[in-house]
Amino acid sequence: MPEIHLTTVIKSDIQTIFDLSRDIDFHQNSVSETNEKAIAGRTSGLIEEGETVTWRARHLGIYQKLTTKIIAMNKSYHFTDIMQKGAFKSMKHQHIFRQEGEKTIMTDIFEFQSPFGIIGKVFDALLLKNYMKNFLLERNKLIKTVAENKRKRERSERQNS
């Protein structure tokens, strides 16, 4: 089963990063190139443990639906979502957060498997793993930018008051 491990260092507090990572509205805005829309379950705000969301998005030129459920959450430190219904044979995404001084270390562990046996394995290795890695990298880059800009604004406001 392919796994993607990403680590992103962000100059911001852990709560901001945790909340941005589970914010349905932010996610929809952060992945505009795939036209992702939450269409069922939790469709706005911060998703919580036990809740589901169904996304409709265009990936690799094809519109598809993916329903995920938050199966575990330790607020500010970790949450895990799994696919309940969608194009993958299986999918699990662990979001892990650790505060180190003024920085938050955000770790993604994304595990997935395509259907169709050996053909799916070849597709995963040749195309899908890199596609999903780049998708997650772009999303993490936006989380980092938004969180760090928020921190800069807050510091500037404190200095000016």
Side-chain angles (χ1 to χ4, degrees):
M1 177 179 303
E3 277 189 16
I4 299 167
H5 290 254
L6 299 175
T7 300
T8 308
V9 179
I10 305 170
K11 295 176 188 172
S12 185
D13 65 285
I14 194 170
Q15 188 64 50
T16 297
I17 307 308
F18 182 78
D19 286 346
L20 282 172
S21 297
R22 63 192 182 104
D23 187 318
I24 302 290
D25 304 299
F26 178 79
H27 183 78
Q28 290 178 106
N29 292 327
S30 72
V31 290
S32 58
E33 71 279 356
T34 60
N35 200 28
E36 287 203 27
K37 299 291 177 213
I39 60 170
R42 168 69 87 152
T43 58
S44 186
L46 301 178
I47 196 161
E48 299 287 348
E49 185 172 1
E51 293 184 324
T52 63
V53 59
T54 299
W55 299 99
R56 182 178 185 274
R58 187 184 71 247
H59 288 283
L60 301 171
I62 301 167
Y63 273 95
Q64 42 196 297
K65 293 179 184 175
L66 175 74
T67 300
T68 61
K69 180 177 184 176
I70 305 297
I71 61 163
M73 183 179 287
N74 180 0
K75 287 208 172 172
S76 299
Y77 300 103
H78 175 269
F79 69 95
T80 299
D81 57 284
I82 61 167
M83 182 191 80
Q84 292 197 306
K85 191 175 182 184
F88 293 107
K89 180 177 179 181
S90 66
M91 188 221 66
K92 178 179 179 184
H93 188 177
Q94 296 178 67
H95 309 256
I96 304 163
F97 310 89
R98 185 177 77 248
Q99 188 81 48
E100 285 190 6
E102 294 188 2
K103 297 176 183 173
T104 298
I105 312 302
M106 179 173 71
T107 303
D108 291 278
I109 302 172
F110 187 81
E111 304 168 65
F112 67 96
Q113 188 175 13
S114 293
F116 309 119
I118 191 70
I119 293 169
K121 288 180 183 180
V122 170
F123 179 70
D124 289 346
L126 293 179
L127 181 71
L128 194 55
K129 185 173 182 179
N130 194 51
Y131 176 84
M132 292 307 301
K133 180 179 179 181
N134 287 333
F135 178 79
L136 293 170
L137 283 168
E138 284 301 311
R139 184 169 178 276
N140 290 354
K141 186 166 44 171
L142 191 56
I143 289 171
K144 178 179 174 79
T145 299
V146 168
E148 289 181 351
N149 286 341
K150 177 184 177 217
R151 180 179 180 215
K152 287 176 187 173
R153 278 192 316 275
E154 290 170 351
R155 282 189 169 178
S156 177
E157 289 169 3
R158 281 195 305 269
Q159 290 172 350
N160 293 331
S161 53

